[in-house]
Each structure stands twice: as structure tokens, then as C-alpha cells.
């Protein structure tokens, strides 16, 4: 039987554990560990939508379920949902006939759902509402019912619960309205070898080690730890490719990349392999004199 919040609280007092509101409490120590792992959304699993005068970005629910499975474990073991209640409520009028009589009202299906999960040996849960139109009338005047309304309502509530844990936070925070953010994010995930099915690493981002102790001036592209400078170049490459444009000064850009002190050697070699930087003479360009090793080169490309 799943424990209730009251049962968990009672057990905590019995074992003399600190209260959640106290400094150093177990839940507080986890902090943003989950959020930072799931806040970024692969652009390939999103799509724009427009409904009722509202425009936004929708995220694939299957993608969100996969990300939850990566963090918590298989559905039903590490996380899952329980339907608390459901109901059908009347909405606005469906329309009126020639005599002014109302044709009926829209019927909306509502659910109240609990999403539970287990993280670092601790169980948590979130409750949210979800809703879908069951009986509605479209812009052409056709009245119809939605056979999949129940599934859609559960999906809506599940997505809302996951969003409170940070899943696809960049979408809900409006970052996908910025095409530069999307281009940079896609470049980052492609460079890290992350397919559209999701991020490949679920390691604790706060974990200390040799990689986390590297100097910001000379980061190394180990896994997904590429420098912001490198990602800026990649984002620019994507913008040019999408616009079917070429680099105007290939030798100049290659020389700039080679001399950029904010790039590691591996990042430099990776960038120079871009099809946009191919030149007829493959001989290395001479390194210009006067470039400091601790100062960023003046950009002629970014």
C-alpha cells in the first residue's frame, strides 16, 4: 500500500528525522537535482500549436514518459499515476438554431490525478487536474465527440505534474519562443550525441570530479560538457545551414577558431571539421601573431 503524506510525516517524527522545513532536511538536500536533469527539451520532440487564439509549444507526452523513466525507473516501479476522481461538466453553448433555441452545451471531461515517484529512496507525489472536451463543436459547425477524451485528460494531468518537477521547464518558461535558444540547444544535444529520444546522461550535475574542476577558460568536451563558446559556434553553423548560406571568410574564421583561447583543442578540431569551413587548400593557415593566450580573440564570425 502506498504511503500517504501523513504516514510519511509520522514516520519522520518517530525516527527523529529533521522536518522538511529545517536546514539540511533530506528533501531540501535534493534541491534541484531532478530539475536540472530534465529542464531541457529536445527540439525534435516539440511542435507549435495554435488553439483558441493561443499559440505555444507542445511537448511529446511519450518523450516526457521516457525522461521520467530515465530518472525514476520503469513506470509502475519508479513512478506512476493514480486516478483520484473524474467527472463530466457542462461548458458553453454549442450554438443555437434558427428559432434561437440552444443546441446543447459543450461537455468537458475532468480528472484529478496523483503522480507518484521514487527518487534517492524517497517517495514523492504531485496532484493535478486535467481536462479535455468530450462533446464540442468545431469552427465549421460540426458537433462531435472525442473517443480518446479520457486518455487525453490523463495525459494533460500527468504533463502538469511532471512540469512541477522541472520536466521541459524551458518550454513552459517560454524559452522556445527564442529561435537562438532553440538552435543553441539543438547544437548542444547533437554535439553531445543525444538523440531526439532524450538526454543520454542522468548523472548528478553537482557531482564533483576532474571534469567539474576544469577552468572555464579551457573547458574540455567530455560527454555533454562543451563550453559556451563552442556551443555559440555550433549554433551559428546551424543558422547558416538552415538559411542555406555559406561562411564568407572561411580562412579568417578558421584562423579565429584556431586562436580562440576559450576553446579546448578537441573543440577546435571538431569545429574545423564542419562542412562550412572546407577550403580548397587544406594546408593549415598560419597563426597570426599578437594573439594573447589569456584573452578572447575578436570575433569576425559570431
Amino acid at each position: 500500500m502506498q504511503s500517504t503524506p501523513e504516514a510519511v510525516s509520522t514516520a519522520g517524527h518517530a525516527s527523529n528525522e529533521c522536518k522538511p522545513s529545517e536546514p539540511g532536511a533530506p528533501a531540501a538536500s535534493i534541491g534541484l537535482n531532478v530539475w536540472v536533469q530534465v529542464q531541457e527539451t529536445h527540439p525534435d520532440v516539440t511542435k507549435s500549436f495554435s488553439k483558441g487564439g493561443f499559440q505555444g509549444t507542445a511537448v511529446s507526452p511519450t518523450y516526457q514518459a521516457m525522461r521520467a523513466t530515465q530518472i525514476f525507473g520503469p513506470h509502475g516501479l519508479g513512478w506512476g499515476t493514480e486516478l483520484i476522481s473524474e467527472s463530466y461538466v457542462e461548458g458553453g453553448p454549442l450554438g443555437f438554431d434558427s428559432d434561437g433555441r440552444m443546441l446543447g452545451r459543450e461537455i468537458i471531461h475532468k480528472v484529478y490525478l496523483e503522480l507518484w515517484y521514487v527518487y534517492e529512496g524517497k517517495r514523492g507525489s504531485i496532484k493535478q487536474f486535467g481536462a479535455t472536451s468530450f462533446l464540442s463543436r468545431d469552427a465549421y459547425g460540426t458537433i462531435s465527440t472525442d473517443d480518446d477524451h479520457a486518455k487525453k485528460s490523463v495525459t494533460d494531468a500527468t504533463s502538469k505534474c511532471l512540469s512541477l518537477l522541472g520536466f521541459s521547464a524551458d518550454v513552459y518558461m517560454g524559452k522556445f519562443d527564442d529561435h537562438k535558444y532553440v538552435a543553441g540547444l539543438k547544437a548542444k544535444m547533437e554535439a553531445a550525441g543525444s538523440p531526439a529520444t532524450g538526454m543520454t546522461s542522468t548523472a548528478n550535475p553537482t557531482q564533483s570530479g576532474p571534469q567539474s574542476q576544469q577552468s572555464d577558460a579551457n573547458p574540455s568536451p567530455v560527454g555533454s560538457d562543451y563550453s559556451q563558446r563552442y556551443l555559440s559556434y555550433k549554433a551559428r553553423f546551424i543558422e547558416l545551414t538552415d538559411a542555406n548560406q555559406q561562411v564568407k571568410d572561411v580562412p579568417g574564421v578558421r584562423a579565429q577558431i584556431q586562436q580562440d583561447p576559450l576553446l579546448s583543442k578537441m573543440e577546435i578540431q571538431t569545429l574545423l571539421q564542419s562542412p562550412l569551413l572546407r577550403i580548397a587548400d587544406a594546408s593549415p593557415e598560419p597563426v597570426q601573431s599578437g594573439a594573447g593566450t589569456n584573452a578572447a580573440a575578436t570575433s569576425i564570425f559570431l
Side-chain angles (χ1 to χ4, degrees), residues 253-287:
V253 172
R254 289 179 65 91
Q256 173 191 320
I257 291 175
Q258 288 177 319
Q259 301 171 50
D260 197 326
L262 299 182
L263 296 172
S264 68
K265 293 182 179 179
M266 186 176 297
E267 289 175 331
I268 292 174
Q269 293 301 319
T270 302
L271 290 171
L272 293 179
Q273 294 174 6
S274 170
L276 292 174
L277 298 182
R278 291 175 181 170
I279 55 177
D281 181 8
S283 60
E285 299 82 358
V287 176

Side-chain angles (χ1 to χ4, degrees), residues 31-221:
L32 293 173
N33 289 359
V34 174
W35 190 288
V36 297
Q37 293 181 73
V38 298
Q39 63 181 334
E40 295 180 337
T41 309
H42 201 295
D44 289 350
V45 297
T46 65
K47 62 180 180 180
S48 300
F49 71 90
S50 178
K51 182 178 181 181
F54 177 77
Q55 295 181 344
T57 302
V59 183
S60 167
T62 303
Y63 169 80
Q64 290 188 314
M66 186 210 67
R67 297 292 288 120
T69 299
Q70 286 181 321
I71 303 300
F72 305 127
H75 187 277
L77 294 177
W79 72 285
T81 58
E82 296 290 341
L83 183 63
I84 299 174
S85 65
E86 65 175 334
S87 60
Y88 292 84
V89 298
E90 290 187 343
L94 291 171
F96 302 88
D97 61 18
S98 57
D99 296 327
R101 292 174 296 187
M102 187 170 62
L103 299 176
R105 290 186 175 275
E106 179 184 17
I107 302 297
I108 301 172
H109 178 248
K110 297 181 64 177
V111 299
Y112 188 41
L113 175 142
E114 176 186 20
L115 182 142
W116 60 268
Y117 60 93
V118 178
Y119 186 74
E120 294 189 357
K122 301 176 179 63
R123 182 188 182 278
S125 67
I126 298 175
K127 298 177 182 179
Q128 273 288 355
F129 289 94
T132 306
S133 294
F134 166 60
L135 178 66
S136 61
R137 183 181 185 182
D138 61 23
Y140 300 98
T142 302
I143 298 176
S144 61
T145 58
D146 187 346
D147 295 337
D148 290 331
H149 66 280
K151 181 182 70 174
K152 292 178 180 179
S153 296
V154 170
T155 298
D156 180 40
T158 301
S159 180
K160 290 177 179 176
C161 289
L162 289 174
S163 70
L164 295 179
L165 290 172
F167 284 77
S168 298
D170 53 358
V171 172
Y172 298 112
M173 294 173 70
K175 292 186 177 181
F176 267 63
D177 296 336
D178 183 355
H179 72 279
K180 290 186 178 180
Y181 170 81
V182 176
L185 179 62
K186 191 169 185 178
K188 173 183 177 180
M189 292 188 171
E190 289 178 351
S194 301
T197 51
M199 301 292 283
T200 57
S201 174
T202 58
N204 189 334
T206 61
Q207 181 179 3
S208 61
Q211 294 180 13
S212 62
Q213 297 174 357
Q214 294 174 349
S215 170
D216 292 337
N218 188 28
S220 174

